[in-house]
Amino acid sequence: MQTQSPSSVDRSAEFRRWKAQSLSKADLSRKGSVDEDVVELVQVLNAQEQFFTTSSCAGRILLRDGGINGFEVQKQNCCWLLVTHKPCVKDDVIVALKKANGDAVLKFEPFVLHVQCRQLQDAQILHSVAIDSGFRNSGITVGKRGKTMLAVRSTHGLEVPLSHKGKLMVTEEYIDFLLNVANQKMEENKKRIGRFYNCLQRALEREAISNSHPKIKEKNNPSYTHKKKRNPEKAHGKSITEENNKELENDDDDNPGINVAIFPEDY
Amino acid sequence: MQTQSPSSVDRSAEFRRWKAQSLSKADLSRKGSVDEDVVELVQVLNAQEQFFTTSSCAGRILLRDGGINGFEVQKQNCCWLLVTHKPCVKDDVIVALKKANGDAVLKFEPFVLHVQCRQLQDAQILHSVAIDSGFRNSGITVGKRGKTMLAVRSTHGLEVPLSHKGKLMVTEEYIDFLLNVANQKMEENKKRIGRFYNCLQRALEREAISNSHPKIKEKNNPSYTHKKKRNPEKAHGKSITEENNKELENDDDDNPGINVAIFPEDY
């Protein structure tokens, strides 16, 4: 084990208290339980002393009624007409839409996960895992009293206005088409969760190895260095890396108009 | 001035080199210049020694043709049929759609900004500014060699499939309706940029004051503490804070299904 300064000992103790407190509390979500598709992932993270999850959603299709305020962006009194974590068929949406009296919007919301991390370095490792698995909008938050969170977020959504003041603005054929797109995104989202799970396992294995060899750790594991570069593990990670590169290129195709003064290399 | 350790002097010098290099390079974006609506903001940030911007987009409506791969999520050979940073009318989209031979998708992409920061603490201050201005998906990235970036991101998008294999799936009336929604989001997006600009100015003023009183700084400015809590400046910030709270509540209305094991207080 490495020697720790008194302040890092304090920090560790405080983190353990937060974690115990968090995991002992009831699940306050509407659903009241962790989504099936991320149960294992959440368990793996919570079994690590340096992490605990504070919220998650595996991904879902939802239909929201936005009130009768017309084009208002910030909707008051919006309500949910439909929520599902499974593929969705046209008739479900048609039935739910009958209850809409405002501006109904169909959304696909991808996987999202919040993980509290013991130290910045732990968050960095998890951030690398997230980016490597295709969750490009992930980021770290460092809050008051050193609370360090990683948010895992995807770029991969769908948000489609369907009705205006209760009047349906699209055809049933369109809804059918749209749900095919949404279900496809749900499928892709599941694959990314799988990738995240696998990348995480490998990162944790590498951590375990470097922790059991503190000198190697000292040398190879400075703060502010991304894990993936430290231990490339080409044989293991190759197919995933290639997949991601393709994906990122595609995503970049979406963004050539962003004003890039320059993106620092190796960012 | 505070005394600095040799490593923080090195870090500062390295940051200045990165910044000089970055700002001297050509703008590699398709457009080749910073969007009008964020020019001032970018200038204010780049005038600070602790920040420089690496990419930005003020917000835009775009129409993308996704190739003829049907429901494939990762589109190859997608091309842009229309991009605008201004409000958009139906006829522009109708004309552009005539060139679509695949799955055309209309998107509204809100403001996005990447800022490289000298230290984690600088990124934290900017992160607070972003969250306080309503950019809830913002986050910090700490890369190799200590490169610390803040990404400012909004939750506030639109992504609507319009055609399938070149066939238009919606009516012109729907496109008109959709563009009203998109233009409204563009308007709201501009307001948020304004809020970000104002919050930033206030945060920088507070920084300047605490830097000119190092003892106050020592006392009130520990690492890992959010600026907004340190110096609440209620008189200044009140209306904006109230606006944001309302907004966050509304946004939360969108997310009651997320499995919240518990969100740590004060996060």
Side-chain angles (χ1 to χ4, degrees):
Chain A
M1 291 295 285
Q2 289 181 283
T3 12
Q4 292 188 300
S5 67
S7 73
S8 79
V9 172
D10 291 352
R11 176 77 59 83
S12 287
E14 196 177 22
F15 181 82
R16 278 197 300 275
R17 274 199 305 279
W18 281 332
K19 179 168 179 170
Q21 194 184 31
S22 171
L23 296 182
S24 69
K25 285 198 182 170
D27 189 323
L28 299 174
S29 67
R30 220 186 247 195
K31 186 159 163 272
S33 63
V34 174
D35 297 338
E36 202 181 307
D37 289 329
V38 292
V39 166
E40 269 180 89
L41 178 59
V42 163
Q43 281 170 348
V44 166
L45 284 166
N46 287 329
Q48 305 300 314
E49 60 176 6
Q50 70 273 35
F51 299 125
F52 65 93
T53 62
T54 62
S55 72
S56 64
C57 176
R60 61 192 177 186
I61 293 169
L62 66 89
L63 185 69
R64 190 192 61 192
D65 195 14
I68 50 167
N69 299 324
F71 297 127
E72 267 186 41
V73 171
Q74 289 169 37
K75 306 265 167 61
Q76 302 287 349
N77 312 317
C78 81
C79 75
W80 288 14
L81 303 171
L82 176 78
V83 193
T84 174
H85 295 76
K86 308 266 176 212
C88 189
V89 295
K90 186 182 72 176
D91 288 346
D92 300 340
V93 173
I94 301 285
V95 169
L97 275 169
K98 295 203 195 304
K99 288 172 279 177
N101 52 26
D103 287 13
V105 176
L106 188 123
K107 289 178 85 170
F108 168 70
E109 294 182 338
F111 173 56
V112 63
L113 177 71
H114 292 92
V115 185
Q116 194 168 330
C117 307
R118 190 173 46 192
Q119 298 181 61
L120 181 62
Q121 201 183 312
D122 302 313
Q124 284 175 256
I125 291 167
L126 211 54
H127 194 195
S128 286
V129 168
I131 299 293
D132 290 355
S133 326
F135 295 99
R136 291 203 308 149
N137 279 358
S138 302
I140 299 168
T141 299
V142 183
K144 287 209 320 168
R145 296 184 288 155
K147 275 182 181 171
T148 303
M149 298 284 291
L150 179 77
V152 180
R153 291 186 212 98
S154 179
T155 50
H156 197 235
L158 202 61
E159 179 160 355
V160 183
L162 289 184
S163 70
H164 180 43
K165 296 184 179 174
K167 185 195 163 200
L168 190 61
M169 301 297 289
V170 295
T171 61
E172 289 201 12
E173 189 194 1
Y174 177 76
I175 293 174
D176 198 39
F177 162 64
L178 181 63
L179 289 173
N180 271 313
V181 176
N183 292 338
Q184 194 78 19
K185 284 186 185 254
M186 185 87 99
E187 206 45 53
E188 171 63 23
N189 178 65
K190 265 197 194 178
K191 281 186 200 155
R192 288 192 193 186
I193 295 174
R195 245 183 260 160
F196 184 85
Y197 185 84
N198 292 335
C199 284
L200 174 66
Q201 295 278 21
R202 284 199 298 277
L204 294 174
E205 280 162 25
R206 282 196 300 264
E207 267 308 277
I209 291 165
S210 59
N211 280 338
S212 64
H213 298 88
K215 289 214 170 143
I216 297 173
K217 184 173 169 142
E218 289 283 302
K219 199 177 160 192
N220 293 340
N221 200 8
S223 293
Y224 304 114
T225 302
H226 268 214
K227 204 73 197 170
K228 59 176 171 178
K229 300 276 178 171
R230 268 176 261 163
N231 293 310
E233 289 213 346
K234 279 179 188 160
H236 254 118
K238 202 177 172 205
S239 65
I240 285 171
T241 309
E242 279 174 0
E243 243 181 289
N244 291 344
N245 286 345
K246 210 176 84 183
E247 194 175 312
L248 292 181
E249 280 165 25
N250 285 343
D251 281 2
D252 283 343
D253 264 5
D254 259 17
N255 289 317
I258 288 187
N259 302 298
V260 183
I262 141 187
F263 230 98
E265 39 161 5
D266 295 326
Y267 163 58
Chain B
M1 292 294 286
Q2 287 181 285
T3 11
Q4 292 187 302
S5 67
S7 73
S8 79
V9 171
D10 291 352
R11 176 77 59 83
S12 287
E14 195 176 22
F15 181 82
R16 278 197 301 275
R17 274 199 305 279
W18 279 332
K19 179 168 179 171
Q21 194 184 32
S22 172
L23 296 183
S24 69
K25 285 200 182 168
D27 188 323
L28 298 174
S29 68
R30 220 186 246 196
K31 187 157 162 272
S33 63
V34 174
D35 296 339
E36 203 182 308
D37 289 329
V38 293
V39 166
E40 270 181 89
L41 177 59
V42 163
Q43 280 170 349
V44 166
L45 285 166
N46 287 329
Q48 305 299 316
E49 59 177 4
Q50 70 273 36
F51 299 124
F52 65 93
T53 62
T54 62
S55 72
S56 65
C57 176
R60 60 190 178 186
I61 294 169
L62 66 88
L63 185 69
R64 190 192 61 192
D65 195 14
I68 49 167
N69 299 322
F71 297 127
E72 266 186 42
V73 172
Q74 289 169 38
K75 305 264 167 61
Q76 302 287 349
N77 312 316
C78 81
C79 74
W80 287 16
L81 304 172
L82 176 78
V83 193
T84 175
H85 295 77
K86 308 266 176 214
C88 189
V89 295
K90 187 183 71 176
D91 288 346
D92 300 341
V93 172
I94 301 285
V95 169
L97 274 169
K98 294 204 196 303
K99 288 172 279 177
N101 52 26
D103 287 14
V105 176
L106 188 123
K107 291 178 83 171
F108 168 69
E109 295 182 337
F111 173 56
V112 62
L113 177 71
H114 291 91
V115 185
Q116 195 169 328
C117 307
R118 190 173 46 192
Q119 298 181 60
L120 182 62
Q121 201 184 311
D122 302 313
Q124 283 176 256
I125 291 167
L126 211 54
H127 195 195
S128 286
V129 168
I131 298 295
D132 290 355
S133 327
F135 295 99
R136 290 202 311 146
N137 278 359
S138 302
I140 299 168
T141 299
V142 183
K144 288 210 319 169
R145 295 184 290 156
K147 275 182 180 169
T148 303
M149 298 284 292
L150 179 76
V152 180
R153 292 187 212 97
S154 179
T155 51
H156 197 234
L158 202 60
E159 179 160 355
V160 183
L162 290 184
S163 70
H164 180 42
K165 296 184 180 174
K167 185 196 163 198
L168 190 62
M169 301 296 290
V170 295
T171 61
E172 290 201 11
E173 189 194 0
Y174 177 77
I175 293 175
D176 198 38
F177 162 64
L178 181 63
L179 288 174
N180 271 314
V181 176
N183 291 338
Q184 194 79 20
K185 284 186 185 256
M186 184 87 97
E187 207 44 55
E188 171 63 23
N189 178 65
K190 265 197 194 178
K191 282 186 200 154
R192 287 191 192 185
I193 295 173
R195 243 183 263 160
F196 184 84
Y197 185 83
N198 293 334
C199 285
L200 175 66
Q201 295 277 22
R202 285 199 298 278
L204 293 175
E205 281 162 24
R206 283 196 300 265
E207 267 307 278
I209 291 165
S210 60
N211 279 338
S212 64
H213 298 89
K215 287 211 174 147
I216 298 173
K217 185 173 168 140
E218 288 283 302
K219 200 176 158 192
N220 292 341
N221 199 11
S223 295
Y224 304 114
T225 301
H226 268 214
K227 203 74 197 171
K228 59 175 174 179
K229 300 276 176 170
R230 268 175 261 163
N231 292 311
E233 291 214 343
K234 278 181 187 156
H236 254 116
K238 204 178 170 203
S239 64
I240 283 170
T241 308
E242 280 175 0
E243 242 180 291
N244 292 344
N245 285 346
K246 212 176 82 185
E247 194 176 313
L248 291 182
E249 279 165 26
N250 285 343
D251 280 2
D252 283 344
D253 266 4
D254 258 17
N255 289 318
I258 288 187
N259 303 298
V260 184
I262 140 186
F263 230 99
E265 40 160 6
D266 295 326
Y267 164 58

